[in-house]
C-alpha cells in the first residue's frame, strides 16, 4: 500500500486541478497554443463503388459511353466513324448510385449507374454494374464495367 505525505497529496491535487476542463474560471484562462488542423472534405468519388473511369454499353439501340477524366465519349453506330461525341461530364454520387450528366449534341445525357450483376443479352459478357441511360426523351437499359485501357 502506498502512503502519501501531505506535500505529495497537495502536489497531486494541484496537478489534477490544472488538467481539469475548466469551470467558472475557465474564461479567464489563456487558451493553449495547440495548432488546429483543417480536415479536408472527403472526395465523394473516392467513396463511391464506381471508379472514376468506366465504360457503359447498351444494345437495341447500340450505344456506349466511356467516362474518363471528367469527360464522356458517347458513341452510337451513327457517330462511330467520327469517334463519338465528347463532352464534359459531371458526377453526383448517391448512397447506392452514381449519376453522370453531360450535354451531347444539344441533348441532356444522363447515365445512372448502380451496383448489380448485368448481362447485355447479346454476349456471354457479364458486368458488375447496371445502367439506365437517358438521352433527351429516350431511356434505355445497359451495363457497365471497368474501363478498357
Amino acid at each position: 500500500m502506498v502512503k502519501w505525505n501531505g506535500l505529495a497529496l497537495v502536489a497531486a491535487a494541484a496537478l489534477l486541478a490544472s488538467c481539469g476542463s475548466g469551470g467558472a474560471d475557465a474564461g479567464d484562462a489563456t487558451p493553449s497554443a495547440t495548432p488546429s488542423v483543417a480536415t479536408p472534405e472527403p472526395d465523394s468519388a473516392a467513396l463511391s463503388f464506381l471508379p472514376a473511369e468506366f465504360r457503359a454499353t447498351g444494345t437495341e439501340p447500340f450505344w456506349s459511353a466511356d467516362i474518363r477524366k471528367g469527360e464522356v465519349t458517347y458513341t452510337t453506330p451513327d457517330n462511330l466513324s467520327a469517334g463519338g461525341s465528347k463532352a464534359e461530364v459531371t458526377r453526383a454520387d448517391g448512397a447506392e448510385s452514381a449519376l453522370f450528366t453531360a450535354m451531347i449534341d444539344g441533348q441532356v445525357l444522363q447515365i445512372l449507374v448502380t451496383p448489380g450483376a448485368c448481362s447485355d443479352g447479346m454476349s456471354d459478357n457479364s458486368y458488375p454494374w447496371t445502367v439506365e441511360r437517358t438521352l433527351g426523351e429516350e431511356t434505355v437499359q445497359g451495363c457497365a464495367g471497368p474501363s478498357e485501357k
Side-chain angles (χ1 to χ4, degrees):
M1 180 174 233
V2 175
K3 288 188 171 185
W4 290 90
N5 67 28
L7 184 58
L9 198 52
V10 171
L15 181 62
L16 285 173
S18 69
C19 293
S21 61
D25 295 333
D28 296 337
T30 305
S32 66
T34 305
S36 65
V37 177
T39 304
E41 288 295 316
D43 177 15
S44 62
L47 301 175
S48 176
F49 67 93
L50 192 65
E53 296 184 359
F54 70 95
R55 178 181 176 88
T57 62
T59 58
E60 298 181 25
F62 289 98
W63 61 273
S64 70
D66 287 295
I67 308 285
R68 290 196 174 112
K69 298 179 182 174
E71 184 177 73
V72 61
T73 302
Y74 182 73
T75 308
T76 66
D78 294 336
N79 69 6
L80 185 62
S81 63
S85 298
K86 295 182 187 230
E88 183 178 325
V89 68
T90 60
R91 176 179 181 152
D93 285 303
E96 295 184 23
S97 65
L99 177 65
F100 297 82
T101 305
M103 287 296 291
I104 296 290
D105 301 327
Q107 296 185 74
V108 175
L109 169 70
Q110 289 190 317
I111 299 171
L112 179 65
V113 186
T114 55
C118 186
S119 172
D120 62 17
M122 297 198 68
S123 70
D124 291 332
N125 294 335
S126 60
Y127 302 86
W129 309 302
T130 62
V131 173
E132 181 178 280
R133 188 237 52 198
T134 302
L135 181 62
E137 300 291 321
E138 178 187 53
T139 299
V140 295
Q141 304 303 308
C143 301
S147 182
E148 299 169 5
K149 296 198 179 204

